[in-house]
mmCIF file of all heavy atoms in Angstrom:
data_model
loop_
_atom_site.group_PDB
_atom_site.id
_atom_site.type_symbol
_atom_site.label_atom_id
_atom_site.label_comp_id
_atom_site.label_asym_id
_atom_site.label_seq_id
_atom_site.Cartn_x
_atom_site.Cartn_y
_atom_site.Cartn_z
ATOM 1 N N PHE A 201 19.094 -12.003 -18.996
ATOM 2 C CA PHE A 201 19.398 -11.741 -17.566
ATOM 3 C C PHE A 201 20.824 -11.451 -17.107
ATOM 4 O O PHE A 201 21.044 -10.996 -16.105
ATOM 5 C CB PHE A 201 18.894 -12.943 -16.872
ATOM 6 C CG PHE A 201 17.435 -13.040 -16.485
ATOM 7 C CD1 PHE A 201 16.571 -13.990 -17.251
ATOM 8 C CD2 PHE A 201 16.754 -12.201 -15.735
ATOM 9 C CE1 PHE A 201 15.249 -14.134 -17.063
ATOM 10 C CE2 PHE A 201 15.352 -12.309 -15.339
ATOM 11 C CZ PHE A 201 14.630 -13.228 -16.180
ATOM 12 N N SER A 202 21.645 -11.627 -18.160
ATOM 13 C CA SER A 202 23.180 -11.364 -17.763
ATOM 14 C C SER A 202 23.509 -9.939 -17.333
ATOM 15 O O SER A 202 24.552 -9.853 -16.755
ATOM 16 C CB SER A 202 24.011 -11.907 -18.989
ATOM 17 O OG SER A 202 23.719 -10.998 -20.069
ATOM 18 N N LYS A 203 22.726 -9.050 -17.730
ATOM 19 C CA LYS A 203 22.918 -7.698 -17.425
ATOM 20 C C LYS A 203 22.446 -7.312 -16.015
ATOM 21 O O LYS A 203 22.693 -6.132 -15.582
ATOM 22 C CB LYS A 203 22.193 -6.752 -18.384
ATOM 23 C CG LYS A 203 22.505 -7.054 -19.892
ATOM 24 C CD LYS A 203 21.589 -6.097 -20.761
ATOM 25 C CE LYS A 203 21.742 -6.512 -22.218
ATOM 26 N NZ LYS A 203 20.793 -5.763 -23.066
ATOM 27 N N TYR A 204 21.774 -8.191 -15.356
ATOM 28 C CA TYR A 204 20.972 -7.735 -14.157
ATOM 29 C C TYR A 204 21.559 -8.619 -12.928
ATOM 30 O O TYR A 204 22.320 -9.518 -13.054
ATOM 31 C CB TYR A 204 19.552 -7.946 -14.386
ATOM 32 C CG TYR A 204 19.007 -7.191 -15.475
ATOM 33 C CD1 TYR A 204 18.657 -7.749 -16.759
ATOM 34 C CD2 TYR A 204 18.882 -5.677 -15.368
ATOM 35 C CE1 TYR A 204 18.147 -7.074 -17.783
ATOM 36 C CE2 TYR A 204 18.543 -4.948 -16.550
ATOM 37 C CZ TYR A 204 18.153 -5.624 -17.750
ATOM 38 O OH TYR A 204 17.743 -4.957 -18.756
ATOM 39 N N ALA A 205 21.045 -8.079 -11.874
ATOM 40 C CA ALA A 205 21.664 -8.548 -10.581
ATOM 41 C C ALA A 205 21.567 -10.141 -10.268
ATOM 42 O O ALA A 205 22.575 -10.689 -9.687
ATOM 43 C CB ALA A 205 20.975 -7.835 -9.349
ATOM 44 N N ILE A 206 20.532 -10.640 -10.677
ATOM 45 C CA ILE A 206 20.492 -12.150 -10.457
ATOM 46 C C ILE A 206 21.543 -12.922 -11.135
ATOM 47 O O ILE A 206 21.963 -14.035 -10.650
ATOM 48 C CB ILE A 206 19.096 -12.723 -10.929
ATOM 49 C CG1 ILE A 206 18.855 -14.154 -10.506
ATOM 50 C CG2 ILE A 206 18.857 -12.592 -12.443
ATOM 51 C CD1 ILE A 206 18.962 -14.432 -8.990
ATOM 52 N N SER A 207 22.187 -12.506 -12.276
ATOM 53 C CA SER A 207 23.234 -13.115 -12.925
ATOM 54 C C SER A 207 24.543 -13.260 -12.012
ATOM 55 O O SER A 207 25.375 -14.182 -12.405
ATOM 56 C CB SER A 207 23.559 -12.443 -14.256
ATOM 57 O OG SER A 207 24.197 -11.196 -14.098
ATOM 58 N N ARG A 208 24.625 -12.427 -11.049
ATOM 59 C CA ARG A 208 25.823 -12.455 -10.234
ATOM 60 C C ARG A 208 25.647 -13.446 -9.056
ATOM 61 O O ARG A 208 26.586 -13.514 -8.211
ATOM 62 C CB ARG A 208 26.174 -11.032 -9.716
ATOM 63 C CG ARG A 208 26.532 -10.158 -10.919
ATOM 64 C CD ARG A 208 27.032 -8.736 -10.374
ATOM 65 N NE ARG A 208 25.863 -7.986 -9.854
ATOM 66 C CZ ARG A 208 25.067 -7.267 -10.653
ATOM 67 N NH1 ARG A 208 25.239 -7.141 -11.975
ATOM 68 N NH2 ARG A 208 24.133 -6.449 -10.124
ATOM 69 N N GLU A 209 24.415 -14.092 -8.857
ATOM 70 C CA GLU A 209 24.295 -15.002 -7.834
ATOM 71 C C GLU A 209 24.677 -16.387 -8.205
ATOM 72 O O GLU A 209 24.532 -16.736 -9.358
ATOM 73 C CB GLU A 209 22.717 -14.989 -7.440
ATOM 74 C CG GLU A 209 22.180 -13.550 -6.962
ATOM 75 C CD GLU A 209 23.022 -12.995 -5.703
ATOM 76 O OE1 GLU A 209 23.370 -13.912 -4.858
ATOM 77 O OE2 GLU A 209 23.066 -11.941 -5.459
ATOM 78 N N ALA A 210 24.993 -17.090 -7.200
ATOM 79 C CA ALA A 210 25.505 -18.531 -7.433
ATOM 80 C C ALA A 210 24.523 -19.404 -7.968
ATOM 81 O O ALA A 210 24.758 -20.328 -8.700
ATOM 82 C CB ALA A 210 26.157 -19.054 -6.110
ATOM 83 N N SER A 211 23.220 -19.113 -7.461
ATOM 84 C CA SER A 211 22.025 -20.043 -8.084
ATOM 85 C C SER A 211 21.473 -19.765 -9.431
ATOM 86 O O SER A 211 20.699 -20.436 -9.939
ATOM 87 C CB SER A 211 21.037 -19.924 -7.072
ATOM 88 O OG SER A 211 20.411 -18.597 -7.094
ATOM 89 N N PHE A 212 22.189 -18.724 -10.101
ATOM 90 C CA PHE A 212 21.673 -18.230 -11.333
ATOM 91 C C PHE A 212 21.548 -19.338 -12.473
ATOM 92 O O PHE A 212 20.498 -19.620 -12.991
ATOM 93 C CB PHE A 212 22.539 -17.122 -11.850
ATOM 94 C CG PHE A 212 22.164 -16.661 -13.326
ATOM 95 C CD1 PHE A 212 20.850 -16.030 -13.517
ATOM 96 C CD2 PHE A 212 22.868 -16.731 -14.333
ATOM 97 C CE1 PHE A 212 20.581 -15.574 -14.791
ATOM 98 C CE2 PHE A 212 22.598 -16.192 -15.638
ATOM 99 C CZ PHE A 212 21.368 -15.637 -15.807
#
Side-chain angles (χ1 to χ4, degrees):
F201 280 104
S202 65
K203 306 173 186 177
Y204 301 105
I206 186 58
S207 67
R208 297 185 287 275
E209 299 297 330
S211 65
F212 176 59

